[in-house]
Amino acid sequence: MGFFRRLIDLMLDILDAVFHVIRRFIRGIFNWVKGLIKALHNLWCALGPKWLRVVFVLLIVFIGGFFFLRGVLAPNITHENIYQVHYLNEGWTDEDRQRYYYTPQGTELLGLQYSWFVNLEQPLSREQLASEENMRGWGFIMSPSQQPTKHNPGNLPVGFTYHYDHQSRLNLDLGCAMCHTGELHYKGTALRVDGGQSMQSVPTLGKGEFIVTLAAAAFETYYNPFKWDRFATRVVGDNNEDERDTLRDEFSGFLTHIKDFVKGPGAHSLYPVTEGRGRTDAVGRIGNVVFGYDIDVPENYKVADAPASYPFLWDIWRFDWVQYTGFTNQAMARNVGESLGVLAPVKLLDENGNIRKPEDIEDEVINLDGMFCVEGVLRKLKPPKWPEDILGKVNIESAKRGKTLFADQCQFCHGPHESNSYQWELATGPDQHPDGQHNVNYQWDLDGVVTDVDGKKVRQDFRERIWSVPWISTDVIGTDSKLADNYMDNLYDASKLTGEDTKVNAGDGLQLLLNVLIPQMYENRNIQAGEEIALYDGLNVPFRIQNHRAYKARPLHGVWATPPFLHNGSVPTIYDLLSPLRARPSTFYVGNREYNPQRLGYITKKTAGAFKTDTTIAGNHNTGHLFTDVDMKGRIGRLLTERERYDLMEYLKVMGNPDFTERLGGDPQNWSLYKEGLPEKMMDDACYNSAPEAYNQYKKNLALVGSGSDR
């Protein structure tokens, strides 16, 4: 017992000593901190009077806040080193290319004027917002050391052009080429893919993204007097106070438009699946703008959570049906609908909020000539050619095996399925609905080139041969169905358009509106019934809508140059697309345009400005279109061996390219064997008339002599 008592006493003594040391250490730290605080207080007091010290603190807070905000608002850009441009597509002259890049279509960015955009500075910086580094870093396309031209006086990226609005102001216009021109980068060379998929992120709401940075720059410009003075001096000069006052009023109106749009069709909550680089939910956004914003029915705002890649456009003029779900058939209706979604300022409502009569609808900027011009130019465009001198030689023996595989595994869906052109049955009265159409403007139907066949009025498609593009049910193809489901299931209140209780999906709703709007625009511009309207419509095709819970299987000439893949861009490379589902990456990064010629897709590593694609999110699913031996939804073919995947990819590099037909031992996909695009007698005139200066003069003539006058 004595031993244990002594042991316990010893342990207690040790603990007491330890606690004593700890207490002394804590007391020492406390005294040191107390002394430090006292010393700092004495130093603080020695700095000067209280007011000076307060100013000093506020200055530190201001500087810290400034650099913090500058970091938050800094452009989120990808850094690229490009030294030369190589064009992959043939068929265009330099003038054709410039027309495609910079022909306006009549869209506006909430009234943003061209000179404003060119002269805006970055937020909290004096650097130009639209600099080559920024615009290229956001995914837009600019050539190295690009210089201004007559088509592009502001030296902006491809697709950024201008038009005169109804008050003869020069407004920024976002043209077709902004979304439908691509680039692949390889070791310092930019491989330009005209008509391809862009990798920009105009609609994406995120830190440092284009539209967010633009809005921040605009608001700071307005409220920062120093920045405003620099901006106003560059735009209107420093000696004209009236012009500066007008500029401030107009700029204030632009900011008001931004606020209203953000509360309505641009609300972040409507787009929960981030679109990121190279994607947008185009149909969902068009629906929100047209049926919610333009006709002022906020209840029509729908969640648009099905982003899709921008489709490539060569050969599209051959198709019978277009859009990912193949819901429409006519070039003009498609283009005008798209322009409305990109904020073409058509005033559909009167001051009481009611739909105007057709003849009273105010539309001075939608550029039908420009749309007609671009359609004609696109018919000349050839698919991109694989550049062996840059991306490497093609293994011809492998490509031959791939040709056989393609015929066996792919051609059944992707064709192309050539067909004689259609004879479209027409409505001849207000109550007729041929082809089961929800709405038909019979007068517009009969405005084209009409013939009688078996006692019926028809329009004979001007094309000798077309490509019949099949619809593949989402249950069969198994790819993410949200885009098709939203198209079929999202219903909009169209009562203002019909005068009665009417619920329609986006396709049928656009038909209701465009059946009124486009014929009125034709009349206003004196586009004559018969061949002229037939050509403007697009090869004598009347406007029709089809509603299917399906996606179209398009021909694949040049598809190697259009990553990422599937309609929603959920598979980064063709190699991944040909692999079983378990081998496809569930996450990858998009934004780096450096190309991988072995797997036929972009490099997917994380880089500055890159967007993370998470395929576990509905809308981003990478399921379907599967080559597998597992009996599962979306199985379209057997499991391919590693060699077979590379054989197919080797063929896809040169599929249809006439330069390789002989080496392949013949190629049924040879694109030189297909019918050439139809020449347009009026295309050059339309391209000339679509130029901003000519179009503005035409509108002035209309104001002088009235609608329907000679152009």
Side-chain angles (χ1 to χ4, degrees):
M1 291 293 293
F3 171 77
F4 286 110
R5 185 177 292 109
R6 287 194 298 276
L7 181 60
I8 292 171
D9 291 342
L10 178 61
M11 293 176 64
L12 291 173
D13 290 341
I14 292 173
L15 287 173
D16 184 62
V18 169
F19 287 138
H20 179 69
V21 170
I22 292 173
R23 284 195 299 270
R24 291 186 61 187
F25 177 76
I26 292 174
R27 187 180 297 113
I29 291 293
F30 176 78
N31 290 333
W32 178 81
V33 171
K34 183 179 178 181
L36 178 63
I37 292 173
K38 186 176 181 180
L40 290 174
H41 178 264
N42 291 335
L43 178 61
W44 170 248
C45 293
L47 290 176
K50 184 176 181 179
W51 66 266
L52 181 62
R53 285 178 274 146
V54 171
V55 170
F56 181 71
V57 170
L58 292 176
L59 185 62
I60 291 176
V61 170
F62 175 79
I63 293 173
F66 173 83
F67 282 103
F68 173 77
L69 282 175
R70 191 172 185 179
V72 169
L73 297 174
N76 181 34
I77 59 175
T78 301
H79 300 285
E80 300 177 335
N81 295 308
I82 297 301
Y83 309 107
Q84 61 180 337
V85 177
H86 177 87
Y87 295 93
L88 296 178
N89 308 73
E90 294 178 353
W92 278 357
T93 64
D94 289 341
E95 181 66 17
D96 288 332
R97 183 168 283 111
Q98 290 299 303
R99 283 174 170 176
Y100 177 68
Y101 287 172
Y102 299 112
T103 293
Q105 61 174 336
T107 64
E108 292 188 358
L109 200 56
L110 301 172
L112 177 63
Q113 294 185 32
Y114 191 79
S115 63
W116 300 355
F117 183 66
V118 170
N119 286 294
L120 277 174
E121 298 172 349
Q122 295 179 39
L124 302 177
S125 169
R126 291 195 176 196
E127 298 295 319
Q128 181 190 13
L129 177 74
S131 67
E132 179 180 334
E133 180 183 13
N134 283 346
M135 300 307 285
R136 179 173 282 285
W138 276 314
F140 302 107
I141 291 177
M142 297 187 74
S143 298
S145 303
Q146 177 178 295
Q147 297 298 314
T149 67
K150 68 173 184 177
H151 293 283
N152 183 23
N155 201 31
L156 296 178
V158 167
F160 282 76
T161 183
Y162 55 93
H163 67 250
Y164 288 93
D165 70 5
H166 62 284
Q167 295 181 1
S168 294
R169 295 172 299 202
L170 205 62
N171 281 6
L172 187 71
D173 190 306
L174 305 181
C176 301
M178 186 189 72
C179 296
H180 299 288
T181 308
E183 270 189 355
L184 315 175
H185 296 169
Y186 191 72
K187 297 182 178 180
T189 296
L191 302 169
R192 184 71 55 82
V193 187
D194 288 320
Q197 295 178 197
S198 72
M199 193 47 63
Q200 44 81 1
S201 57
V202 164
T204 299
L205 299 175
K207 176 179 172 290
E209 295 297 340
F210 168 73
I211 202 70
V212 174
T213 307
L214 171 61
F219 277 95
E220 194 217 343
T221 297
Y222 186 78
Y223 289 108
N224 180 336
F226 303 105
K227 179 164 285 195
W228 176 261
D229 184 65
R230 295 193 300 271
F231 173 76
T233 298
R234 288 193 295 267
V235 173
V236 299
D238 57 1
N239 295 321
N240 192 323
E241 288 303 318
D242 289 340
E243 287 190 14
R244 290 171 75 95
D245 290 343
T246 299
L247 173 65
R248 191 156 182 87
D249 290 340
E250 291 179 342
F251 203 84
S252 176
F254 168 58
L255 299 184
T256 299
H257 289 323
I258 292 178
K259 295 174 186 175
D260 292 342
F261 191 78
V262 168
K263 294 175 184 176
H268 188 272
S269 60
L270 295 175
Y271 309 97
V273 179
T274 305
E275 289 150 314
R277 298 290 173 93
R279 303 193 309 173
T280 189
D281 188 338
V283 175
R285 286 187 177 273
I286 290 172
N288 284 333
V289 169
V290 174
F291 303 115
Y293 189 65
D294 286 344
I295 67 172
D296 192 23
V297 183
E299 294 76 19
N300 277 339
Y301 292 135
K302 306 291 184 186
V303 171
D305 53 359
S309 297
Y310 301 108
F312 53 99
L313 300 185
W314 52 86
D315 291 330
I316 195 173
W317 69 273
R318 304 178 191 273
F319 296 179
D320 53 355
W321 297 92
V322 294
Q323 304 290 11
Y324 277 112
T325 56
F327 70 81
T328 193
N329 67 330
Q330 194 206 70
M332 186 56 72
R334 179 190 70 230
N335 291 332
V336 173
E338 174 268 330
S339 71
L340 291 173
V342 192
L343 303 178
V346 178
K347 295 183 180 179
L348 300 177
L349 304 181
D350 62 21
E351 60 277 6
N352 298 316
N354 300 316
I355 293 289
R356 296 176 184 270
K357 296 177 182 178
E359 61 271 19
D360 295 332
I361 289 178
E362 295 184 27
D363 158 49
E364 297 90 353
V365 299
I366 289 185
N367 196 330
L368 301 186
D369 284 320
M371 293 174 180
F372 181 39
C373 169
V374 168
E375 284 292 326
V377 169
L378 281 170
R379 288 178 206 153
K380 302 178 182 181
L381 186 65
K382 307 296 184 186
K385 288 185 173 182
W386 179 268
E388 286 191 288
D389 56 332
I390 299 173
L391 295 180
K393 293 291 184 181
V394 173
N395 183 327
I396 296 299
E397 292 306 312
S398 176
K400 286 180 179 179
R401 295 192 297 269
K403 181 182 71 170
T404 302
L405 268 172
F406 185 89
D408 179 59
Q409 295 288 313
C410 310
Q411 193 166 356
F412 179 79
C413 287
H414 289 288
H417 306 288
E418 283 202 279
S419 166
N420 291 328
S421 64
Y422 299 159
Q423 293 177 339
W424 297 91
E425 183 181 349
L426 306 178
T428 57
D431 298 323
Q432 293 187 7
H433 301 272
D435 303 318
Q437 295 299 289
H438 183 273
N439 178 266
V440 178
N441 182 334
Y442 78 96
Q443 293 168 315
W444 183 14
D445 260 18
L446 298 174
D447 273 344
V449 174
V450 178
T451 56
D452 288 290
V453 176
D454 297 330
K456 296 180 179 179
K457 300 289 187 184
V458 302
R459 282 208 207 179
Q460 173 68 59
D461 191 323
F462 285 167
R463 296 168 287 187
E464 285 185 46
R465 304 284 285 173
I466 62 172
W467 287 356
S468 298
V469 182
W471 293 287
I472 312 297
S473 166
T474 55
D475 288 336
V476 173
I477 195 62
T479 52
D480 192 301
S481 66
K482 189 167 279 293
L483 180 66
D485 291 339
N486 285 358
Y487 172 74
M488 293 295 292
D489 298 336
N490 283 347
L491 299 181
Y492 302 91
D493 179 359
S495 303
K496 281 191 175 183
L497 298 175
T498 64
E500 56 189 39
D501 186 17
T502 307
K503 301 288 187 183
V504 291
N505 69 5
D508 290 335
L510 284 171
Q511 192 174 55
L512 282 169
L513 175 60
L514 299 181
N515 272 337
V516 173
L517 183 60
I518 294 176
Q520 187 62 48
M521 289 194 292
Y522 284 167
E523 181 179 339
N524 292 347
R525 288 156 176 77
N526 198 30
I527 296 171
Q528 300 290 336
E531 187 176 16
E532 190 171 13
I533 280 185
L535 291 173
Y536 271 74
D537 282 347
L539 302 169
N540 203 37
V541 175
F543 179 26
R544 298 291 184 261
I545 293 290
Q546 288 286 334
N547 296 315
H548 298 283
R549 203 177 296 272
Y551 298 119
K552 75 177 193 291
R554 66 170 299 158
L556 299 179
H557 299 87
V559 70
W560 62 269
T562 65
F565 300 97
L566 294 184
H567 74 274
N568 59 351
S570 61
V571 180
T573 71
I574 290 182
Y575 176 84
D576 296 316
L577 186 65
L578 299 176
S579 300
L581 182 60
R582 64 181 179 275
R584 294 176 180 176
S586 60
T587 61
F588 59 92
Y589 287 89
V590 176
N592 181 357
R593 289 186 280 197
E594 194 69 17
Y595 191 67
N596 181 341
Q598 285 73 46
R599 296 203 169 200
L600 306 188
Y602 290 120
I603 301 296
T604 58
K605 65 182 180 181
K606 184 178 182 180
T607 58
F611 163 72
K612 182 179 179 181
T613 301
D614 183 351
T615 66
T616 65
I617 298 172
N620 288 347
H621 290 332
N622 65 353
T623 53
H625 198 282
L626 294 170
F627 295 93
T628 178
D629 288 340
V630 178
D631 184 12
M632 61 189 300
K633 183 178 180 180
R635 179 179 183 267
I636 61 169
R638 62 174 176 80
L639 181 68
L640 302 175
T641 67
E642 186 80 355
R643 193 185 84 164
E644 286 175 324
R645 294 174 211 170
Y646 280 103
D647 288 345
L648 260 177
M649 289 191 293
E650 208 67 13
Y651 175 59
L652 288 174
K653 293 177 184 178
V654 297
M655 185 185 83
N657 184 340
D659 299 345
F660 287 84
T661 298
E662 185 175 346
R663 283 186 274 173
L664 290 172
D667 185 1
Q669 299 276 343
N670 183 348
W671 66 61
S672 69
L673 302 179
Y674 301 128
K675 291 289 183 183
E676 294 293 320
L678 293 179
E680 294 289 11
K681 300 177 227 175
M682 300 177 291
M683 194 194 78
D684 284 340
D685 286 343
C687 291
Y688 173 79
N689 290 335
S690 68
E693 294 81 4
Y695 196 62
N696 191 49
Q697 185 59 50
Y698 157 64
K699 290 190 301 171
K700 288 179 179 177
N701 291 343
L702 281 187
L704 290 173
V705 299
S707 297
S709 63
D710 290 339
R711 288 180 299 161

